[in-house]
Amino acid sequence: MKRGAGLALAALAVLAPGLACGPGPLGEPAVASTRPSSAEAAREVAARGSVEVVAELEEIPGLGRWDGEFPSNDLGYDYAYVVEYRVVRVLRGEVGGETLLVAHYNPRKPRYSAADSRCPGVGGTLGRLRLGDRHHLALEQPIDAHYMGPLIDEYFDEADHRPIHWAVWTDRSDE
Amino acid sequence: MVILVCVLGLLGVSTIHAKEPDPRAGVLAAEVRSLGWIVYSARSLRGDWDLFLMRPDGSSIRNITRTPEFNEAAPRFSPDGTRLLYRRLAKDEALDHDRYGFAGEVVISDASGANPRPVGGPGELPWASWSPDGEQLACLAPRGIEILDLRSGRITRRLSRHGIYQQLSWSPDGRWLCGVSNCFGELWTVVRVNVETEEVNAVNSYQNCTPDWFPDSRRLLFSFRPPSRTGYGWTQLWSADGNGENLGLLYGREGRHIYGGVASPDGRHVVFTSCGSDGGGADREGAPMHLMRLADAPMIQGRSSELREQVGAASDGPVLALPGGWEPHWTFAEIPPEAGG
């Protein structure tokens, strides 16, 4: 539910790899929102999370509920949104199939400005999630161990109950 | 009224909003006056959030924390009414309606506010909720719902969180937990979890929050903002059985968002906040609190044309206007007066 704008954004001096996304102290200043350099991005995506993949964004379900756009973050309304990727290449860890469900935090925001007091450990160089684009992702799972907040999951009913991965770092991939 | 506000201001008490001119409210006030105490958060005249006690008719208000260096919020009486659990934040830490359960540190004090003792550190024990015997706390963690034994300080059990992410509450009979969850594919779903089997069921989906138990542990009350033809819609107070059946409106008023609903210990009355903007007023001074009889539900006030069309027949009152505050809680236990008072 939308709320009055009472949140203050968190600031972190260091974004610890694999930092769980949950309650952080309120009232801390905002994180930096400049896009990381290529060198920094390469280091982060290789070090964070337990899974590293290149994958193509195949489906963003349910956007019709919100007029074709991810829901806004007005009034301090934070959430994560589950999308589906087709796996192109696994660089680290294991994935269970050819497709992946991935939750992105506050997907309207560029990855490099998505981190806040609720989720200080997310980042990346990606500006916008667009169907058909390929992304270089560092992931964690299960999502419940890494994120505690509102989640929009249109795949909830599916029979095979694929696990949802938590996107820790997301870059655009030219692969 | 001006003289009264000035006197109360000198005493460092919360502000009072003008009572509604409904003669039935006087009858309601007399009915609840001696029924224990309500505790709530409100801004002191210094601007920080303190905890206040009042009689259910809004009388005998007293500030029980008086801590200009801290904000105190979200108080909950222990089931026997002898202690309080609340969150204590740094003075410059903002209150947030959805995330207050993560903020500051948990403090347990006497019900009068005396002898405050922190439990854990800042940000710890999120959404701590009393066990029925007052000896344990249920808390949310990413790994699951953790049961903390207060004497030993140890986690004695961990249950599946089932996507619950805020506003965890343990039922009076100890058999259930409820909270706001992502479960069942819809965010902002109130769910109920069986403490023994860890099975979960939805109570109500889509745009719900601040669930709490009726004293019989069989029904819950919660805020719910149904879809609206006219746009954003208005948050109302609803109830349902723990299995999600018998969903029904308790109180609604278009033009107001209703939050923080809590039942009296005998289940006959309910207190809630009524705020003109969404958010419950945590970012300002709280919101006017109101009290109604559950026997008068469903109740719709104001024009509320869409709500009347949806719900049908409803009473129009009475509602007792109470001081402005946030996240109230109610006990029938008697609380000793202040030392020297």
Side-chain angles (χ1 to χ4, degrees):
Chain A
M1 300 185 76
K2 296 189 189 290
R3 294 288 176 267
L7 279 177
L9 297 180
L12 291 176
V14 175
L15 294 177
L19 184 65
C21 178
L26 301 178
E28 296 176 30
V31 293
S33 59
T34 53
R35 180 177 267 137
S37 66
S38 299
E40 182 183 353
R43 282 195 305 272
E44 295 292 342
V45 77
R48 290 175 177 238
S50 56
V51 176
E52 184 185 351
V53 299
V54 173
E56 185 171 304
L57 182 54
E58 253 190 355
E59 185 177 56
I60 304 176
L63 286 188
R65 290 170 68 179
W66 292 282
D67 299 324
E69 296 281 346
F70 289 115
S72 77
N73 295 110
D74 291 349
L75 302 180
Y77 179 62
D78 298 317
Y79 64 96
Y81 203 107
V82 181
V83 300
E84 184 179 64
Y85 283 85
R86 180 179 62 82
V87 178
V88 174
R89 187 160 64 98
V90 179
L91 292 93
R92 189 164 46 95
E94 293 182 7
V95 300
E98 295 178 354
T99 60
L100 274 179
L101 296 182
V102 175
H104 285 283
Y105 183 61
N106 283 341
R108 280 176 80 111
K109 299 182 179 181
R111 298 300 84 203
Y112 48 87
S113 58
D116 59 18
S117 60
R118 186 194 287 273
C119 291
V122 298
T125 58
L126 183 72
R128 190 177 164 183
L129 289 158
R130 283 191 305 205
L131 284 174
D133 284 352
R134 290 191 176 185
H135 299 154
H136 189 172
L137 299 132
L139 304 169
E140 285 285 13
Q141 77 107 352
I143 185 173
D144 272 3
H146 299 277
Y147 173 67
M148 194 155 66
L151 180 71
I152 299 173
D153 176 16
E154 299 279 342
Y155 299 94
F156 179 80
D157 285 347
E158 63 176 24
D160 57 359
H161 300 296
R162 287 177 288 171
I164 300 172
H165 293 74
W166 177 244
V168 182
W169 190 272
T170 309
D171 296 331
R172 178 92 183 262
S173 171
D174 294 326
E175 193 169 310
Chain B
M1 176 60 77
V2 171
I3 295 172
L4 177 63
V5 170
C6 289
V7 169
L8 292 172
L10 289 172
L11 296 174
V13 298
S14 63
T15 56
I16 288 186
H17 297 261
K19 293 182 189 283
E20 295 173 2
D22 182 346
R24 298 173 297 175
V27 174
L28 181 55
E31 184 176 307
V32 299
R33 181 168 299 128
S34 62
L35 297 182
W37 294 89
I38 291 172
V39 66
Y40 59 98
S41 319
R43 296 268 194 193
S44 77
L45 291 177
R46 288 176 294 262
D48 63 304
W49 289 87
D50 282 334
L51 301 185
F52 293 81
L53 286 175
M54 68 177 176
R55 288 294 190 183
D57 67 344
S59 65
S60 304
I61 295 173
R62 65 183 201 242
N63 185 329
I64 62 170
T65 52
R66 297 178 186 269
T67 51
E69 69 276 26
F70 293 116
N71 289 324
E72 288 94 10
R76 300 285 297 195
F77 288 110
S78 58
D80 65 1
T82 62
R83 288 172 293 163
L84 274 176
L85 175 153
Y86 57 91
R87 298 205 75 100
R88 184 168 68 188
L89 292 66
K91 186 184 174 183
D92 59 357
E93 191 171 356
L95 279 182
D96 179 87
H97 184 82
D98 284 319
R99 300 192 56 211
Y100 62 88
F102 296 117
E105 58 187 353
V106 168
V107 173
I108 293 177
S109 72
D110 298 350
S112 64
N115 303 311
R117 303 170 294 280
V119 180
E124 295 183 353
L125 308 181
W127 300 107
S129 177
W130 291 106
S131 63
D133 64 4
E135 298 297 320
Q136 298 172 303
L137 299 178
C139 307
L140 279 184
R143 295 174 298 276
I145 297 170
E146 296 181 334
I147 308 299
L148 171 78
D149 179 81
L150 282 169
R151 284 188 205 272
S152 66
R154 291 204 201 94
I155 303 297
T156 57
R157 190 175 168 202
R158 184 172 288 124
L159 296 81
S160 171
R161 183 162 61 84
H162 290 290
I164 296 175
Y165 55 87
Q166 66 184 57
Q167 291 154 359
L168 183 72
S169 181
W170 205 331
S171 65
D173 67 2
R175 295 179 59 204
W176 310 96
L177 292 156
C178 74
V180 180
S181 170
N182 298 312
C183 221
F184 304 103
E186 183 66 77
L187 68 173
W188 303 107
T189 291
V190 169
V191 299
R192 180 185 71 163
V193 179
N194 184 306
V195 172
E196 183 179 343
T197 66
E198 300 190 40
E199 291 173 353
V200 64
N201 66 269
V203 177
N204 198 39
S205 295
Y206 186 70
Q207 299 188 156
N208 305 267
C209 70
T210 62
D212 206 349
W213 294 96
F214 279 96
D216 63 6
S217 300
R218 296 169 69 170
R219 291 181 302 142
L220 293 95
L221 65 162
F222 44 89
S223 291
F224 173 39
R225 179 162 53 88
S228 170
R229 290 195 306 264
T230 58
Y232 187 82
W234 299 99
T235 311
Q236 301 143 17
L237 191 64
W238 286 66
S239 69
D241 294 347
N243 61 6
E245 294 178 0
N246 297 311
L247 177 69
L249 176 77
L250 295 178
Y251 180 89
R253 178 176 185 150
E254 287 171 11
R256 313 295 295 184
H257 291 281
I258 310 302
Y259 286 110
V262 64
S264 59
D266 62 3
R268 295 179 59 209
H269 300 88
V270 66
V271 175
F272 52 87
T273 58
S274 173
C275 194
S277 58
D278 203 0
D283 55 333
R284 292 181 296 280
E285 281 76 43
M289 293 186 289
H290 294 283
L291 184 150
M292 63 177 276
R293 279 187 214 96
L294 284 162
D296 294 327
M299 184 184 298
I300 299 175
Q301 292 194 314
R303 177 175 291 184
S304 303
S305 50
E306 184 179 17
L307 182 55
R308 292 182 189 282
E309 187 184 314
Q310 290 168 348
V311 171
S315 74
D316 67 346
V319 165
L320 181 58
L322 296 172
W326 191 63
E327 293 295 320
H329 198 232
W330 196 336
T331 183
F332 278 1
E334 271 311 306
I335 298 174
E338 292 179 86

